[in-house]
Amino acid sequence: MLEPAYQADVVVVGAGVAGLSAARRLTSAGVTTMVLEAAHGVGGRMATEKVDGFRLDRIGQLLSTAYPELRLTPGLDGLVLRPFAPGVLLHGDGRHHRALVQPGAGGARGALHAVRALASAPRPPSAPRPPRRPVAVPGRQVSVPRSRSGAPLGTAVDQARLGAALSRLAGTPAERLLSRPELPAGEALAARGLPARTIDGFLRPLLAALLCDPGLTTSSRCADLALRAFARGRLCLPEGGADALPELLARTLPPGAVHTGVRVTSVSTTSVTTAEHGEIRCRAVLVATGARAAAELLPGLRVPQFHPVTVVHHTTDEPPGTGASLLLDADLGGPVAHTAVVSHVDPSRAPAGRALVSSTVPGRPPGDVDTAVRMHLARLYGVSTARWETLAVHHTAEAVPAMRPPHDLRRPVRLLAGLYVCGDHRDTSTVQGALHSGHRASAAILADLGAGRSLHVADPLPTVPRAA
C-alpha cells in the first residue's frame, strides 16, 4: 500500500494568536491544517496563570476596542472585552489627573475634540498641596492642581495641541501613517511642536503602557498606530484573562487540529520533523513561533531586540479608590509604568471579596522587585501596601519585540513557495500586529495553494496524542 502523499495541506508551527488566527482562516477556506505547539497549552506569551481563584496574566498586554483584527478574525466574535474607565488616570505632582478623550462633533468616528485634565484624588496627607489655578479647556472650566513644572498635560494651549494631534491621528488612514517619514517616537513627537512636559507627562507614560517603551525609541510609525488606536477606541482586557483569546481561537478549529507538547526540530517547504512523531508531510509550512524560535528553524531570519517586562500581581481586601482606571506614572518616579485594579475592570479575575492589582514594570527589574513595586504603588495609589499579598511575579525577558527605526511593519511572510512565517515580530509588537501578521500569512498561503478553487481532500490527519 502506498504511503499518503501528504498528511495535511498546511502545518502551522506554534499555537500563539498569530498561528491560531492563520489556522482559523485556512480551515475556513477548506484547507486541512495541523497546528503543532511545543508547550502544553496554546497562547504563547498570552498566558494566564490560575492561582486560588485569581487569573494572573504573564505579560498583560493591553488591547484596544479599535483593533481592526479583533473584528475581522474569524472565531473572535465570541470574545468578551472588558474596557477600562475612559481615558487614563495620570499620577503626577502627588495627585491624580484624569486624561479624557472626547469624540469630535461631526468628525470621523472616534476623532478627538479635546483632552481634559481633571483633579480626581487628593495628595497623601503627608505631602504639601500645590496651589490651584483654573485652566480653561474647550467646553469646560476645570480646576487643575498646579506646580511650577505644570500638570502632566500642561497648559490649556498644550492640551489643545495634544487634542489636535490625537484628532489628526484618529482620522488618518493607517496606510497613510505608514508612509510618513520615520524617526524615533520621541524625536517625532517633539518635531510636531508638542511641548516637552506634554510628551514626558502624558505621551511617554502612555506609550510605555501601550508598547513597553518608556524611552520612546520605537519607530514613530508604530507609535502613531498605537496612539491612533488609543484615540479611536477604549483600552480593554479579555474577560477571564489574556489566554481567553487564543483559547477561543483554538476551540473554533476542527477537532484534532491542534496538538500540544510536540516539538518541531526542522522544517522544509513540504514537511516538518518533530522530536516525538518524526516527519509530517504537507504542502506548505507556516512558522508562527516567537522570533528567536523562528530563527532557529529558519536560519538567517532576523531576530529583533526585545523589551523585557515584569508583571507583579497583588491582592487586597481594601482596594484603592481608582475604580476601573488604568493608572500611569507621569513622574516616572519608580519601576511601575502602569497599574490597575484589574478585578474592577474584569471581576472574573479575582474571587469574590478580593481585589486583584496588577502592575507592569518595563525593562530590567530592580533586585528586590516586589519591595520596589510596593513602595511605588503606595505613592501612586496614596494608600499603604504593607498588607497586600503578593500572588505572583512574572518576568519575561523577551516579552515584546522592539520596533526601533527603521522598522518594516509589513515584513514579508512568504519566504519561499511553501514556506511562510508570521508573528508580532513581522508586524507590530501588539495583539493587533500578531493577528494581522497571521491574516497576511494565511492570505499568501491561500493564494499560492490556489485555494480559490476546491482543494482535493488531504489524507486523514495522523494521530498525535495531546499532551496532558
Side-chain angles (χ1 to χ4, degrees):
M1 181 175 179
L2 294 177
E3 293 185 354
Y6 61 92
Q7 295 160 288
D9 289 321
V10 179
V11 172
V12 177
V13 183
V17 294
L20 290 171
S21 64
R24 182 63 171 80
R25 290 180 180 277
L26 292 170
T27 58
S28 296
V31 176
T32 306
T33 305
M34 181 192 304
V35 181
L36 305 179
E37 169 59 49
H40 293 292
V42 302
R45 283 165 288 154
M46 291 195 75
T48 302
E49 182 183 9
K50 282 76 171 177
V51 177
D52 297 331
F54 294 93
R55 297 172 180 267
L56 314 176
D57 286 352
R58 177 161 291 279
I59 294 179
Q61 281 184 297
L62 303 173
L63 276 61
S64 170
T65 58
Y67 282 170
E69 290 295 337
L70 292 178
R71 301 187 306 272
L72 299 175
T73 302
L76 288 185
D77 50 327
L79 182 67
V80 178
L81 298 176
R82 294 292 184 180
F84 288 89
V88 293
L89 198 61
L90 294 165
H91 180 271
D93 254 358
R95 294 185 61 85
H96 290 159
H97 310 264
R98 174 75 64 182
L100 295 176
V101 293
Q102 297 174 289
R109 181 180 181 273
L112 303 188
H113 175 64
V115 175
R116 302 184 299 175
L118 302 176
S120 64
R123 293 172 63 89
S126 61
R129 184 181 300 275
R132 300 178 69 87
R133 167 183 163 191
V135 177
V137 181
R140 181 163 180 161
Q141 182 81 11
V142 297
S143 182
V144 179
R146 304 286 299 186
S147 70
R148 285 178 294 179
S149 61
L153 295 178
T155 66
V157 173
D158 297 336
Q159 294 173 44
R161 288 177 179 171
L162 177 59
L166 291 175
S167 180
R168 286 192 294 271
L169 285 176
T172 302
E175 293 305 319
R176 189 179 300 174
L177 292 181
L178 300 185
S179 66
R180 286 182 170 184
E182 188 179 27
L183 291 170
E187 294 181 22
L189 293 171
R192 293 170 192 171
L194 293 171
R197 60 186 164 192
T198 302
I199 296 173
D200 289 335
F202 177 63
L203 293 173
R204 186 184 300 275
L206 178 61
L207 288 172
L210 300 178
L211 302 175
C212 299
D213 179 25
L216 296 183
T217 59
T218 292
S219 161
S220 55
R221 296 172 182 172
C222 302
D224 283 347
L225 288 177
L227 293 174
R228 179 179 184 269
F230 173 76
R232 294 171 67 93
R234 288 273 292 277
L235 296 178
C236 57
L237 298 171
E239 184 180 71
D243 63 355
L245 193 157
E247 287 184 355
L248 179 60
L249 285 173
R251 287 197 301 270
T252 63
L253 293 173
V258 179
H259 306 278
T260 58
V262 179
R263 295 167 295 161
V264 173
T265 58
S266 65
V267 300
S268 72
T269 57
T270 57
S271 69
V272 300
T273 302
T274 70
E276 293 79 9
H277 307 286
E279 184 182 31
I280 298 175
R281 291 173 297 281
C282 56
R283 298 177 63 191
V285 175
L286 171 59
V287 176
T289 65
R292 192 170 302 281
E296 291 173 359
L297 293 173
L298 302 168
L301 204 66
R302 170 183 173 271
V303 179
Q305 293 182 307
F306 295 89
H307 295 302
V309 168
T310 302
V311 180
V312 184
H313 299 281
H314 293 102
T315 183
T316 175
D317 54 5
E318 297 179 357
T322 52
S325 297
L326 182 70
L327 176 58
L328 312 181
D329 183 12
D331 297 331
L332 300 178
V336 175
H338 64 277
T339 181
V341 185
V342 296
S343 53
H344 285 342
V345 181
D346 176 11
S348 72
R349 297 189 180 218
R354 302 292 293 175
L356 173 62
V357 181
S358 298
S359 310
T360 298
V361 177
R364 186 183 301 275
D368 186 352
V369 62
D370 185 49
T371 298
V373 166
R374 282 174 182 269
M375 293 175 62
H376 195 189
L377 293 180
R379 294 198 302 273
L380 293 178
Y381 286 112
V383 300
S384 172
T385 60
R387 298 180 63 184
W388 288 14
E389 178 187 349
T390 304
L391 294 171
V393 178
H394 292 147
H395 177 70
T396 306
E398 297 186 350
V400 180
M403 299 182 289
R404 298 186 177 95
H407 180 77
D408 185 358
L409 283 79
R410 298 295 181 263
R411 197 171 296 279
V413 293
R414 182 184 186 273
L415 303 181
L416 297 169
L419 190 57
Y420 310 82
V421 61
C422 69
D424 59 358
H425 52 97
R426 312 299 290 180
D427 206 282
T428 60
S429 303
T430 61
V431 174
Q432 161 66 20
L435 292 170
H436 189 245
S437 177
H439 189 168
R440 292 194 293 126
S442 61
I445 292 170
L446 291 174
D448 288 353
L449 291 181
R453 54 181 171 78
S454 298
L455 286 172
H456 59 281
V457 179
D459 291 303
L461 291 174
T463 301
V464 181
R466 185 182 296 272

